């Protein structure tokens, strides 16, 4: 199908984007990589009257350290993260892993990290990653700029705190300390498919090998990406052991509330969520030199 008729506006700055969005209110949608919005429009699941294309906005195209965070601008592509040299550093292994398994290489050339967070597909790979990495999103609108924690940003399926007349300008990932590593574990039916289940984990150890902090989150495990706080609490302050990993995995399986579909039954997906959290924790710890 072809999309319903719409007005196409090209923005050249953040201010111009916000002005267009405020002028057209609920009728307007931001166009970033177009990898979710355009298919939705073609199937007429989305019928925005106005599209505001942010691709010409040069000030949104960056991935850069910004004090204590890594800032990823709204038009930075998945493929730019995948190719970035800093992903070889184990501190960024969660981002390195996820950037290789989001969709397929063609989609990753256009799809953006921030667009994926704004789309907030329950099976999307970036929302769970942002939860485990304790990210925040920078939102700009009429009232100025606000920085929203990812927990607050992700409201429900395909819904975020970005309101009418607002846009997300960047996502900020806190720069992890040296004794931090992560892992993204995804089971998909074939390359380019959304997750049957996926787990994002990030672990920081202190000098004596105790887990100082753990981030654990799931994709395709509910109406929106799920943070497994019970697992995070169980891990924090403990020495890593096989029993501890099993306890975290069990907490993840309990917390997972997937939908049964062609990719698998509810039981299968809940079990898989636990298995993937255990695999992710083992891999993150192995990257820190702890074999379990
Ligand atoms: C074949 C195929 C396979 C895919 N497989 C996967 C997969 O395995 N895992 C996965 O996670 N994703 C997958 N995707 C989705 C893909 O990753 C999208 O790129 C991503 O979900 C959205 O990013 P985008 O930049 O293309 O956003 P767009 O499609 O441009 O926008 C998506 C939504 O977010 C809004 N939006 C975008 N940017 C902003 C902003 N800065 N401020 C406010 N609102 C904004 C738009 O208005 C729209 O509502 C797949 C897509 C395709 C086509």
């Amino acid at each position: 199908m072809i999309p319903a008729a719409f007005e196409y506006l090209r923005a050249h700055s953040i201010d111009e984007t916000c002005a267009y969005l405020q002028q057209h209110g609920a009728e307007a949608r931001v166009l970033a990589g177009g990898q979710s919005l355009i298919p939705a429009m073609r199937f007429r699941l989305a019928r925005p009257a106005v599209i505001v294309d942010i691709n010409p906005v040069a000030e949104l195209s960056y991935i850069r350290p910004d004090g204590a965070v890594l800032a990823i601008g709204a038009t930075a592509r998945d493929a730019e993260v995948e190719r970035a040299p800093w992903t070889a550093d184990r501190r960024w292994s969660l981002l390195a892993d996820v950037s290789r398994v989001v969709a397929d290489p063609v989609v990753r050339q256009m799809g953006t990290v921030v667009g994926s967070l704004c789309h907030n597909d329950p099976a999307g790979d970036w929302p769970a990653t942002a939860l485990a990495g304790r990210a925040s999103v920078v939102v700009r609108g009429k009232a100025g700029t606000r920085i929203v924690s990812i927990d607050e940003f992700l409201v429900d399926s395909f819904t975020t705190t970005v309101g009418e007349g607002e846009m997300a300008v960047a996502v900020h990932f806190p720069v992890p300390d040296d004794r931090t590593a992560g892992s993204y574990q995804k089971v998909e039916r074939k390359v380019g498919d959304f997750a049957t289940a996926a787990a994002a984990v990030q672990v920081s150890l202190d000098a004596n090998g105790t887990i100082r902090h753990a981030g654990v989150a799931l994709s395709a495990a509910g109406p929106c990406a799920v943070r497994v706080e019970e697992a995070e609490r169980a891990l924090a302050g403990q020495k890593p052991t096989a029993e501890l990993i099993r306890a975290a995995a069990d907490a993840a399986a309990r917390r997972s509330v997937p939908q049964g579909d062609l990719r698998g039954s509810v039981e299968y997906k809940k079990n898989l969520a636990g298995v993937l959290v255990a695999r992710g924790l083992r891999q993150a710890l192995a990257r820190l030199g702890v074999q379990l």
Side-chain angles (χ1 to χ4, degrees):
M1 277 202 334
I2 57 166
F6 61 90
E7 186 182 355
Y8 172 80
L9 300 170
R10 276 168 80 81
H12 295 87
S13 67
I14 295 173
D15 286 346
E16 192 183 7
T17 308
C18 291
Y20 283 144
L21 293 172
Q22 281 150 28
Q23 187 184 340
H24 295 282
E27 302 278 272
R29 294 284 276 277
V30 168
L31 174 71
Q35 298 303 299
S36 295
L37 182 58
I38 301 296
M41 288 170 67
R42 290 180 64 118
F43 285 113
R44 305 223 174 172
L45 297 169
R47 289 171 173 244
V50 178
I51 290 294
V52 183
D53 184 353
I54 59 170
N55 286 282
V57 182
E59 62 187 311
L60 292 173
S61 176
Y62 59 85
I63 302 179
R64 63 182 177 226
D66 186 356
V69 301
L70 177 78
I72 302 180
T75 60
R77 317 286 166 187
D78 295 333
E80 291 176 62
V81 178
E82 190 181 3
R83 286 194 301 261
W86 48 263
T87 56
D89 183 327
R90 73 179 179 192
R91 290 178 303 163
W92 294 112
S93 39
L94 171 59
L95 270 59
D97 283 0
V98 73
S99 69
R100 291 186 208 112
V101 297
V102 175
D104 58 49
V106 177
V107 171
R108 295 201 291 271
Q109 289 299 321
M110 288 304 290
T112 65
V113 179
V114 172
S116 177
L117 295 175
C118 291
H119 188 53
N120 197 11
D121 189 313
D125 296 299
W126 281 110
T129 301
L131 282 171
R134 311 306 307 129
S136 22
V137 182
V138 184
V139 177
R140 178 84 68 90
K142 211 184 207 158
T145 301
R146 56 197 175 98
I147 298 185
V148 187
S149 76
I150 191 67
D151 308 75
E152 201 188 321
F153 183 81
L154 304 171
V155 174
D156 204 346
S157 301
F158 305 106
T159 309
T160 69
T161 54
V162 178
E164 253 179 61
E166 289 189 322
M167 70 174 297
V169 295
V171 56
H172 287 174
F173 282 88
V175 177
D177 65 27
D178 280 348
R179 291 185 58 77
T180 298
S183 173
Y184 192 76
Q185 297 286 328
K186 176 176 179 178
V187 167
E188 55 191 346
R189 293 175 305 175
K190 61 183 175 61
V191 169
D193 194 17
F194 281 90
T196 301
V201 307
Q202 187 158 283
V203 180
S204 303
L205 298 181
D206 65 18
N208 67 12
T210 300
I211 298 173
R212 196 172 49 72
H213 170 82
V216 180
L218 304 170
S219 296
C224 161
V226 171
R227 184 174 169 205
V228 190
E229 285 171 297
E230 187 188 342
E232 294 177 352
R233 280 195 300 271
L235 292 161
Q238 304 295 321
K239 289 270 189 204
T241 61
E243 292 69 38
L244 192 63
I245 289 178
R246 204 166 309 125
D250 290 347
R254 277 195 300 277
R255 181 73 177 80
S256 171
V257 281
Q259 283 199 329
D261 58 18
L262 287 174
R263 293 184 176 88
S265 66
V266 170
E267 278 300 291
Y268 170 69
K269 290 184 179 185
K270 279 175 81 69
N271 184 59
L272 191 53
V275 169
L276 295 179
V277 164
R279 267 185 213 164
L281 287 169
R282 277 196 298 271
Q283 186 175 48
L285 287 164
R287 286 170 165 161
L288 291 166
V290 180
Q291 302 292 341
L292 283 171

